[in-house]
Every structure is written in C-alpha cells, then in structure tokens.
Amino acid sequence: MINLKPYKKKKSADFLQEIIDKKSKTKADPEYHSRLGLVKPQVLDQYVIFDQYFISNSLEKISAFGFKDKQLADLHKLYSYKNKFVQALKVDVTTTASNRKIGTCQNCTISEVNSMDHILPKIDYAEFSVHPSNLFPSCTICNSYKSTIWEKDGTRFFLNLYLDILPPQQYVFVKIIDGGNTPRAEFYLDNRNSIDKDVFRLINSHYDGLHLCERFSQNIDQVVTPLKNAIKSFIGDLSIDRIKSINLERIKKDLDSFGSNYWKSILEAALLNDKDFISSIQKTL
C-alpha cells in the first residue's frame, strides 16, 4: 500500500467542463445539457469548498448540497468509469515518478484496479461525482465493502491515500499457522512500533472495513507458489542460508517499492524464516 499523487493536470472546474462538453446529446433527453448548465454554478460553488477542505485534509467537514430528483440523476449521469477523461485521470494518478504504472488497487493491494472509488460517496454528494480529487482508483471488491459508509460524527472510517501519509513503521504482521506443504497464515495489525494513535485508528478501521487481513490470508497462494518455485530453482546450487539471504534482499527492495506494510513481502519473509516451510520444499526434491 502506497500513497498516490492527487490529480493536478487540470483544475477541478476545467475537468468538470470537459466532461460536460463531451456528453452526447440524445433524442431521448435533448434538454440534458441545458439542465446541466443551470446546475453548474451551484456545483462549481461546491467545488471551491471541496478544494479548500481537500488541501486541509478535512473532507469530512463538508455538508452535502442535497441535490434531489432530476438534478441528482443528471449529476450522477456525468460519471462513467469508461469515460476517457476518467481513464486519463486513472493513468495519471497511478503513474509513479519512475513512470511505473500501478495496476493494483492500493486500498487493498490484492486486486486489480477496475473502478473508481468516490471518496465522498456520490449517492450523497452528487455534486462531486466527477470531481477529480474525489475519484480514487480502486477494485470493485473494496468499492463494495466501502459502499456509502465513510464517516460517522465527523470521524472517517477509511484512508484517503491521496492525503493520509502512510507511516514508515510496520503495522501489518503475520503468524504462520502451518508452514508445511500447504501453508496457512493469519494476518493482524499491531501498533508495537508506536504509530500516532489517531493515524493507527484510521489504519485499523480501513483494514477492518475492507476485511483486508482476512483477504490477505485467503490469497496467500499468490505468494506461496512463486516463492516455492524461486527456492527450488536455487536448491542444489546454493545453501539454504544463501537462498534465504538472496530472497530477503529482494524482499527489502520490494518493501521500498510497494510500501513498508506490503502484505506479500511480509508473508514471504515470515515463510523464509519458517523451518517447516523450508523443510517441506526440501522433501519434495
């Protein structure tokens, strides 16, 4: 899990206008553009408020404008994941400084990005349906778990990975339940490294709300099989200690690239240090 850079190529108002301009005029609803023109000033006023609160990382303070009926439907209609401007936004915010494209959902680091999460849910905040800083690349699984629940009494439940800077300390840990031929593992969070308590509370509610520890445990074969194959390819040529050392060096680089709490790297390190896991590989040769 890493932070993504907020969209900065265009001003939010210009991004909105581009989408409005490209909306098709249809015989079924020839008045759609006219209605958007009437509601646009109110939406832009809300954009000013959003941008101010975004800078201060306090989006939970924004009150919904309360658009209803046809205006609500019209604003919702602006958003489409396949919209070329939305897709361009996704490419921009998921491209790293080294020009690497991040295709994995950073809300979970398990599944591929195939949707946009509305940080302020569009069902309540229709005015921000296509605000570029309200759209975060996500997988549909995380989107489904998040749904419209995002805050309670001014306290957010989920990380905003544009703004909430992830701490460098480790907080994701794993316990190998069975390191044998078919390993089982249990992930959990722990604040043993003294992360700020408010930051850890938000991390904890994010992981809990998206069921991340359970999902990590269910997906461990994404790690186990490739790691077994990597170890087998060296056995006979190098000592076990040297094989472990090579892989641990690689894991350290992966943690630098994918975040200090990247579950796959944490699991790999734990398996390499599990005697039963190494022994089970040696027995198959």
Side-chain angles (χ1 to χ4, degrees):
M1 183 181 289
I2 61 173
N3 289 105
L4 299 185
K5 60 176 193 235
Y7 184 75
K8 297 238 174 147
K9 277 195 171 180
K10 297 181 179 70
K11 292 180 179 179
S12 55
D14 294 336
F15 188 82
L16 170 67
Q17 189 61 54
E18 280 187 326
I19 290 180
I20 290 175
D21 289 344
K22 292 297 182 181
K23 270 294 175 183
S24 299
K25 295 180 180 180
T26 64
K27 291 182 180 180
D29 190 1
E31 302 302 319
Y32 179 55
H33 272 265
S34 297
R35 294 196 305 272
L36 286 177
L38 292 174
V39 79
K40 180 185 167 186
Q42 295 168 311
V43 172
L44 289 178
D45 286 344
Q46 293 302 106
Y47 270 35
V48 172
I49 295 170
F50 184 103
D51 292 341
Q52 290 172 343
Y53 281 117
F54 187 84
I55 291 170
S56 62
N57 192 11
S58 52
L59 293 178
E60 62 273 17
K61 294 181 180 179
I62 299 179
S63 298
F65 185 85
F67 288 107
K68 294 181 180 179
D69 304 324
K70 196 66 175 176
Q71 289 181 331
L72 182 76
D74 285 345
L75 291 172
H76 282 168
K77 190 177 173 182
L78 284 172
Y79 173 76
S80 168
Y81 176 65
K82 293 182 179 180
N83 180 287
K84 72 175 185 178
F85 298 111
V86 172
Q87 287 296 305
L89 182 153
K90 182 187 78 169
V91 170
D92 181 74
V93 301
T94 57
T95 301
T96 67
S98 59
N99 208 35
R100 177 172 63 90
K101 301 289 191 299
I102 300 172
T104 305
C105 169
Q106 290 307 297
N107 278 324
C108 64
T109 62
I110 302 172
S111 305
E112 84 173 293
V113 171
N114 55 9
S115 71
M116 282 287 193
D117 169 42
H118 286 79
I119 297 168
L120 300 189
K122 65 183 172 67
I123 193 168
D124 297 318
Y125 296 85
E127 57 268 34
F128 304 131
S129 292
V130 291
H131 190 297
S133 295
N134 195 44
L135 299 174
F136 188 86
S138 180
C139 66
T140 52
I141 298 172
C142 285
N143 241 336
S144 176
Y145 279 133
K146 184 172 177 284
S147 187
T148 61
I149 303 168
W150 73 285
E151 64 86 30
K152 183 177 181 181
D153 298 328
T155 301
R156 287 187 292 123
F157 290 158
F158 297 99
L159 291 163
N160 179 341
L161 290 172
Y162 287 141
L163 300 174
D164 296 314
I165 304 303
L166 294 167
Q169 302 99 314
Q170 183 177 350
Y171 53 79
V172 173
F173 297 89
V174 64
K175 178 181 179 182
I176 305 301
I177 305 299
D178 179 359
N181 193 47
T182 308
R184 290 182 297 118
E186 182 179 283
F187 286 85
Y188 61 97
L189 303 188
D190 192 287
N191 197 17
R192 67 185 70 171
N193 292 317
S194 303
I195 297 166
D196 176 87
K197 65 178 182 179
D198 291 330
V199 173
F200 186 73
R201 178 207 61 78
L202 185 56
I203 290 169
N204 194 71
S205 64
H206 181 94
Y207 276 69
D208 185 57
L210 300 182
H211 306 279
L212 295 189
C213 288
E214 297 96 318
R215 290 165 65 191
F216 295 159
S217 296
Q218 292 165 3
N219 284 277
I220 67 169
D221 194 57
Q222 291 184 21
V223 171
V224 171
T225 298
L227 183 59
K228 279 186 174 181
N229 290 337
I231 293 171
K232 286 177 181 178
S233 67
F234 285 115
I235 287 180
D237 297 322
L238 300 172
S239 69
I240 288 296
D241 285 344
R242 182 57 184 147
I243 293 172
K244 286 172 63 176
S245 176
I246 290 171
N247 279 281
L248 288 170
E249 287 173 13
R250 173 186 55 78
I251 288 168
K252 185 179 182 301
K253 292 178 182 177
D254 285 345
L255 288 168
D256 289 339
S257 297
F258 303 124
S260 55
N261 287 280
Y262 185 46
W263 69 277
K264 289 186 176 182
S265 296
I266 290 167
L267 176 58
E268 281 187 303
L271 288 169
L272 284 168
N273 287 303
D274 187 90
K275 292 180 179 179
D276 291 338
F277 178 72
I278 298 298
S279 176
S280 71
I281 298 172
Q282 291 174 311
K283 288 177 181 177
T284 64
L285 297 175

